[in-house]
Amino acid sequence: AQKITQTQPGMFVQEKEAVTLDCTYDTSDPSYGLFWYKQPSSGEMIFLIYQGSYDQQNATEGRYSLNFQKARKSANLVISASQLGDSAMYFCAMRGVSGGGADGLTFGKGTHLIIQP
Amino acid sequence: KAGVTQTPRYLIKTRGQQVTLSCSPISGHRSVSWYQQTPGQGLQFLFEYFSETQRNKGNFPGRFSGRQFSNSRSEMNVSTLELGDSALYLCASRVAAGEGTEAFFGQGTRLTVV
């Protein structure tokens, strides 16, 4: 079984500041993928970034980076230079190999990020 | 390239009825999965289809079923609707199975059961 914990239900951040969204996970799978998604009020889940458990380097995608600390089982999302459009729910998710790669994503409860001007 | 398309966007049904939701994946994607999102339970995996075969299923009652067609389009059916089935139903497509392939989601179907 897999578990994702996001301990920050909500965050307020000033525009242009960097923000770190916390995510810890638990799994017994030897190989797994970690994902971050953004969900604006419209409801669509937008894929942001992916980190494989065997990747040596932290993933980066534009203003998004993933601070992956395997020993601590954490996969924090860092957004640099936050913008008003970053206001949304953010979900950390993972998928393991035990289901042959066909497991569904396990999601955390999410963090509601609000960027203030 | 068109994204994942879900229809309808909004639906109101009466308790006891059944409902069918549709999902068209991104062109070339052969894997389609379904999720239920509620304020209380969060996002929960329903099932995943790959090449018309159900590959995995979440912990939901048999009232929830799905299928995938040869063109990768998928439908989800819920029979004997209950008030607790009110939720946002999200469909996601992937190019292939595997723990590392990212899933791209549609905008969801918001189902209200009255």
Side-chain angles (χ1 to χ4, degrees), chain A residues 101, chain B residues 29-31 48 50 94-98 101:
Chain B
H29 285 197
R30 296 169 63 192
S31 172
E48 172 150 349
F50 184 80
R94 300 195 278 160
V95 63
T101 49

Side-chain angles (χ1 to χ4, degrees), chain A:
Chain A
Q2 291 148 6
K3 186 176 180 181
I4 296 281
T5 302
Q6 294 180 255
T7 57
Q8 305 151 311
M11 287 184 72
F12 288 87
V13 173
Q14 288 296 120
E15 190 180 9
K16 298 188 177 67
E17 287 184 351
V19 57
T20 298
L21 304 181
D22 294 341
C23 172
T24 57
Y25 61 90
D26 193 22
T27 182
S28 56
D29 281 343
S31 178
Y32 47 89
L34 294 156
F35 306 82
W36 276 92
Y37 285 87
K38 171 185 178 181
Q39 187 178 41
S41 55
S42 60
E44 183 179 2
M45 298 285 283
I46 301 168
F47 167 73
L48 296 178
I49 197 167
Y50 161 78
Q51 178 84 43
S53 59
Y54 285 102
D55 292 343
Q56 297 294 318
Q57 306 251 8
N58 285 342
T60 60
E61 287 284 350
R63 293 186 300 112
Y64 304 107
S65 61
L66 201 153
N67 183 2
F68 179 48
Q69 297 186 48
K70 193 171 183 178
R72 298 179 65 181
K73 294 190 174 181
S74 77
N76 297 341
L77 177 70
V78 180
I79 306 173
S80 63
S82 57
Q83 302 170 356
L84 296 178
D86 293 333
S87 295
M89 284 291 293
Y90 287 80
F91 292 94
C92 180
M94 74 178 300
R95 179 188 290 116
V97 295
S98 58
D103 281 353
L105 290 165
T106 298
F107 285 89
K109 293 292 188 187
T111 295
H112 189 190
L113 176 64
I114 296 173
I115 307 298
Q116 297 175 310

Side-chain angles (χ1 to χ4, degrees), chain B residues 28-55:
Chain B
H29 285 197
R30 296 169 63 192
S31 172
V32 173
S33 52
W34 289 87
Y35 294 82
Q36 182 196 64
Q37 185 176 24
T38 60
Q41 299 298 317
L43 282 146
Q44 293 184 287
F45 170 68
L46 280 156
F47 28 66
E48 172 150 349
Y49 286 86
F50 184 80
S51 294
E52 302 177 65
T53 302
Q54 188 180 90
R55 293 277 309 273

